[in-house]
Amino acid sequence: MPLLFLNEKSWTTRCDEARADAAMAEFVEAVRAVAKEDREETALVSEAGLDSLEIVEGYPVRKWIGSSPKNRVRWQRLRALQNRSPVRCVYPTPDAASGLEYSHDGEAALGLGAAHFMEGIAVSLPVAPEWHTHNVTLDRSELVEIGDGSLEFQHDTVDVRHISTLPDVDEHRPWIRESSLVRAATGRQIWERRADLYPNLQFLSRIEDQLSGLDSRWIMPVRHSLGRLDATAEAWDPAAMPEPEWQSKVTPEGETRKRVCRFEDFDGALATFHLHARFTPGAGRIHFRLIGAEGKIRIAHIGSKIRPDL
């Protein structure tokens, strides 16, 4: 579903009430334009209920609603959408993003970060000029497992889809329509829609059971990891390079562990799938091998770190 995450940093700024009214009118129109693409499934997600917010300092939503008949109509249109709060209520589990921290201009960015984590869209009140954009860059700190099995924070920057006015919606409309057709909120749905979600990946049949029983905490991390592997394979030209340029951390197993990474391939023969990507929480692994003749990546294992007795 199109999840719209309210950017709390764009609210409670300073401007006069006339400017706030104009910004709210643009905000409501932008949100409704997204909802028109998938009215039943679109939800506006905020940390607190919408009617408890301050649009700008000293001008709460309740006052805005009562200030004119037009605003009351706009509020009724906004209320026609699902409003879900707090933000973590739409996560696969409440602690799903516990190893992630997002910030913008040095300050924590809850709504913006949630939009990136859940592959949704951030939506802002178009008061400050910095929110007149269709993408916002965030600083991300992610707790990842390193080579010795310990955890450390890895820092990078990411872009999140963002709207505040109708032109921003137009920019993202193709993605909104595509995402409405291909949703994957469970491991089972990832399996069923794998061909559309990851056209450059191949999956052994054993993956069906692994995804169907996937821990809910791992839904989004697995989707993100598979998405990066798919993008890696898409950009790979086997004729030019024997191994692609990885878009995430990928490592091979050592010689002593390669024997536990052998699985029956499509042709019935055993093959070694010792390359692996990692995901958290816990010691999550995606094991695969490169199929140079097809320019694809073939997945053999999604789950916990493979133990020798498995």
Side-chain angles (χ1 to χ4, degrees):
M1 73 182 76
L3 290 176
L4 303 179
F5 290 86
L6 193 69
N7 171 22
E8 74 284 354
K9 290 170 62 63
S10 68
W11 291 63
T12 321
T13 55
R14 292 185 178 182
C15 73
D16 58 42
E17 291 186 7
R19 177 69 190 98
D21 284 347
M24 279 297 290
E26 290 185 278
F27 172 83
V28 173
E29 287 306 305
V31 169
R32 291 185 69 230
V34 175
K36 285 179 181 178
E37 300 295 336
D38 192 350
R39 187 172 300 278
E40 292 185 3
E41 295 292 337
T42 300
L44 181 59
V45 185
S46 54
E47 184 61 13
L50 290 177
D51 60 354
S52 68
L53 299 176
E54 277 198 336
I55 301 170
V56 295
E57 290 184 1
Y59 192 35
V61 167
R62 291 189 181 95
K63 183 178 179 181
W64 167 77
I65 295 170
S67 66
S68 78
K70 287 184 178 180
N71 288 348
R72 184 172 296 277
V73 171
R74 292 184 180 112
W75 173 247
Q76 290 171 345
R77 290 172 175 171
L78 198 59
R79 285 193 65 187
L81 297 176
Q82 300 179 58
N83 177 214
R84 303 175 66 177
S85 63
V87 167
R88 63 181 178 275
C89 78
V90 299
Y91 289 176
T93 61
D95 62 346
S98 59
L100 280 172
E101 296 176 0
Y102 291 93
S103 62
H104 180 267
D105 285 344
E107 297 181 355
L110 178 62
L112 292 168
H116 183 268
F117 175 66
M118 290 297 292
E119 298 179 353
I121 301 178
V123 57
S124 294
L125 195 65
V127 175
E130 64 185 312
W131 308 124
H132 289 262
T133 178
H134 56 265
N135 284 296
V136 175
T137 301
L138 306 177
D139 293 310
R140 177 178 64 177
S141 297
E142 182 176 11
L143 195 63
V144 299
E145 183 186 358
I146 59 177
D148 62 2
S150 62
L151 299 175
E152 69 175 18
F153 275 101
Q154 175 179 294
H155 306 280
D156 61 0
T157 59
V158 296
D159 289 331
V160 60
R161 301 177 192 88
H162 176 267
I163 64 170
S164 62
T165 61
L166 287 176
D168 299 326
V169 178
D170 292 336
E171 182 71 25
H172 295 299
R173 199 177 301 278
W175 177 87
I176 294 168
R177 290 175 176 172
E178 182 180 350
S179 68
S180 295
L181 296 173
V182 184
R183 301 190 186 100
T186 66
R188 183 67 199 176
Q189 289 175 344
I190 293 175
W191 171 257
E192 291 172 347
R193 299 165 189 179
R194 64 195 183 282
D196 294 320
L197 291 168
Y198 314 112
N200 302 289
L201 304 182
Q202 301 172 348
F203 297 81
L204 297 190
S205 60
R206 68 191 308 272
I207 298 297
E208 179 177 5
D209 287 341
Q210 292 181 335
L211 285 177
S212 296
L214 192 66
D215 188 320
S216 58
R217 297 175 304 162
W218 281 352
I219 300 297
M220 295 309 298
V222 165
R223 280 181 52 176
H224 293 164
S225 294
L226 290 175
R228 289 191 286 262
L229 288 175
D230 184 74
T232 294
E234 183 179 24
W236 179 35
D237 179 5
M241 58 182 70
E243 186 170 295
E245 294 184 2
W246 303 110
Q247 298 191 19
S248 59
K249 183 177 177 60
V250 168
T251 53
E253 290 285 9
E255 292 300 322
T256 58
R257 278 189 51 82
K258 283 185 178 180
R259 62 183 179 82
V260 300
C261 304
R262 291 174 62 80
F263 302 99
E264 184 177 315
D265 210 337
F266 290 154
D267 60 3
L270 288 177
T272 302
F273 294 78
H274 71 99
L275 292 173
H276 62 275
R278 305 175 185 223
F279 58 88
T280 56
R285 298 287 191 274
I286 298 178
H287 278 261
F288 57 90
R289 72 185 187 94
L290 301 175
I291 311 299
E294 303 175 49
K296 305 289 186 182
I297 291 175
R298 188 169 296 165
I299 311 295
H301 174 83
I302 299 176
S304 298
K305 182 177 180 179
I306 301 173
R307 300 196 304 271
D309 57 330
L310 293 183

